[in-house]
């Protein structure tokens, strides 16, 4: 079952604009959420995380927002750069449960 | 470079065969995770080891098995291979399992993956 869903397989934005990647989850036990970025022929790279006690976490150009009531999180990239072009995976896990679930990924293309 | 190494990088084999994928975690990390990524699929969690012991099991087939050795490296064994086993296999490591002090313990760092092709 798909407990973590990324419904947009791809997203294209212009350089300098905002990229918004969305992720929905179904398991209310999830309390830790992460975003990973993946370039072709490389393993996923940790980008940013958020625990359920927060609703926002910011790291430079990257901000993750968590809406627990909607079981929704999003990753904002501002401003977007061509080097941000990659596949972004959303992941979630529950306290004391190592079965981290990943979404199918969203391919972001940032056009110069 | 995440500090997680995986060998081999590529593997081509035939149906019915058995292969072993190897992973060395980041220095200091006690947890090792295995994931499978098939075409157009997200990462599917297979299994996790923490300090040599199996900690969690995901969608791992009975034909697959894994272990973590005293030096903390891990091997994923895939047997009776089928065409559908062709995928990218990623290993990840973290400091500790979920539930340990601080969520930073849970952040997983991925290796570059092993691309398996079963013909």
């Amino acid at each position: 079952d798909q407990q973590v869903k990324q419904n947009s397989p791809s997203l294209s934005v212009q350089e300098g604009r905002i990229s918004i990647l969305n992720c929905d989850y179904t398991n209310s036990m999830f309390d830790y959420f992460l975003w990973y970025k993946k370039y072709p022929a490389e393993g996923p790279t940790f980008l940013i995380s958020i625990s359920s006690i927060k609703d926002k976490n910011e790291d430079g150009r990257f901000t993750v927002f968590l809406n627990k009531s909607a079981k929704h999180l999003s990753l904002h990239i501002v401003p977007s750069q061509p080097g941000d072009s990659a596949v972004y995976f959303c992941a979630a896990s529950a306290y004391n449960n190592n079965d981290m679930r990943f979404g199918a990924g969203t391919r972001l293309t940032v056009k110069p | 470079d995440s500090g997680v190494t995986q060998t081999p990088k590529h593997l081509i084999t035939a149906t019915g065969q058995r292969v072993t994928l190897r992973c060395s975690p980041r220095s200091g990390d006690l947890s090792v995770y295995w994931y499978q990524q098939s075409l157009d699929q997200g990462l599917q969690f297979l299994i996790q080891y923490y300090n040599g012991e199996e900690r969690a099991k995901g969608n791992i087939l009975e034909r697959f098995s894994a272990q973590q050795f005293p030096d903390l490296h891990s091997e994923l064994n895939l047997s009776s291979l089928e065409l559908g086993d062709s995928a990218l296999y990623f290993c990840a490591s973290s400091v500790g399992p979920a539930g340990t002090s601080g969520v930073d313990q849970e952040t997983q760092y991925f290796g570059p993956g092993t691309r398996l092709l079963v013909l």
Side-chain angles (χ1 to χ4, degrees), chain A residues 28-66:
Chain A
S28 58
M29 299 300 291
F30 288 148
D31 60 357
Y32 184 52
F33 306 90
L34 308 92
W35 284 94
Y36 284 84
K37 181 169 71 171
K38 184 180 180 303
Y39 293 116
E42 294 183 14
T45 302
F46 169 72
L47 191 58
I48 192 169
S49 65
I50 189 168
S51 72
S52 58
I53 61 174
K54 295 183 176 181
D55 54 20
K56 176 183 173 181
N57 189 25
E58 193 172 348
D59 184 2
R61 296 185 298 113
F62 303 91
T63 303
V64 55
F65 295 92
L66 175 62

Side-chain angles (χ1 to χ4, degrees), chain A residues 2 31-32 34 36 38 41-46 49 51 87 89 93-105, chain B residues 33 35 37 40-45 48 55-58 88 90 96-99 103-104 106-112:
Chain A
Q2 277 287 96
D31 60 357
Y32 184 52
L34 308 92
Y36 284 84
K38 184 180 180 303
E42 294 183 14
T45 302
F46 169 72
S49 65
S51 72
V87 176
F89 290 98
S93 68
Y95 179 78
N96 209 26
N97 181 343
N98 297 277
D99 189 356
M100 183 170 287
R101 300 294 177 114
F102 283 79
Chain B
Y33 310 76
Y35 293 87
Q37 184 183 13
D40 300 323
Q41 296 280 325
L43 291 157
Q44 301 290 321
F45 170 68
Q48 184 221 353
R55 178 84 177 191
K57 229 171 185 177
L88 268 169
F90 288 103
V103 294
D104 287 345
E106 304 179 23
T107 300
Q108 297 178 26
Y109 296 87
F110 282 76

Side-chain angles (χ1 to χ4, degrees), chain A residues 69-109:
Chain A
S69 61
K71 294 192 179 68
H72 176 84
L73 64 155
S74 60
L75 174 68
H76 293 211
I77 306 174
V78 183
S80 302
Q81 299 173 353
D84 296 330
S85 297
V87 176
Y88 289 78
F89 290 98
C90 166
S93 68
Y95 179 78
N96 209 26
N97 181 343
N98 297 277
D99 189 356
M100 183 170 287
R101 300 294 177 114
F102 283 79
T106 296
R107 181 178 299 280
L108 173 66
T109 303

